[in-house]
Structure formats: C-alpha cells, structure tokens
C-alpha cells in the first residue's frame, strides 16, 4: 500500500466511523447510511474499505 492509498483508506475509515455513530444515535437511517457508504467508496476508492462495508 502506497502513501496515497493509505490516506484514502484512513479517510474512508474515519468518515465511516462517524457515520456509524450517527446511525447508532438515530440521526440517519440505514438507507441513508448505505447511500453514504456508496458515495464514500466512489470518492476515496479505498484499497480495502469495500471489504468491510
């Protein structure tokens, strides 16, 4: 994994963690969460991120 891939993965995972908290708090629905994850994958293209979603 090169530096660019590492930063993409880190940004993806950090943003995903915040989104999960928002779901847990009832601030967003599961449907909104799934749409958000899809957009994150398109934006960051994380090397391993889509394996864990």
């Amino acid at each position: 994994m090169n530096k660019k891939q590492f930063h993409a993965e880190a940004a993806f995972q950090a943003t995903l963690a915040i989104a999960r908290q928002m779901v847990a708090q009832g601030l967003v629905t599961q449907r909104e969460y799934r749409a958000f994850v899809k957009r994150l994958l398109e934006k960051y293209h994380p090397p391993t991120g889509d394996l864990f979603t």
Side-chain angles (χ1 to χ4, degrees), residues 1-13 46-47:
M1 180 181 301
N2 64 35
K3 200 175 206 178
K4 184 178 178 181
Q5 290 173 319
F6 173 79
H7 287 288
E9 182 70 27
F12 174 78
Q13 293 295 338

Side-chain angles (χ1 to χ4, degrees), residues 5 8-10 12-13 40-50:
Q5 290 173 319
E9 182 70 27
F12 174 78
Q13 293 295 338
L40 286 177
L41 289 168
E42 292 169 356
K43 178 177 181 177
Y44 291 112
H45 300 289
T48 60
D50 57 346

Side-chain angles (χ1 to χ4, degrees), residues 23-40:
V23 171
Q25 294 173 1
L27 299 173
V28 296
T29 66
Q30 283 293 328
R31 184 177 182 181
E32 292 169 325
Y33 172 78
R34 287 190 302 270
F36 185 66
V37 169
K38 183 178 177 182
R39 284 185 290 193
L40 286 177

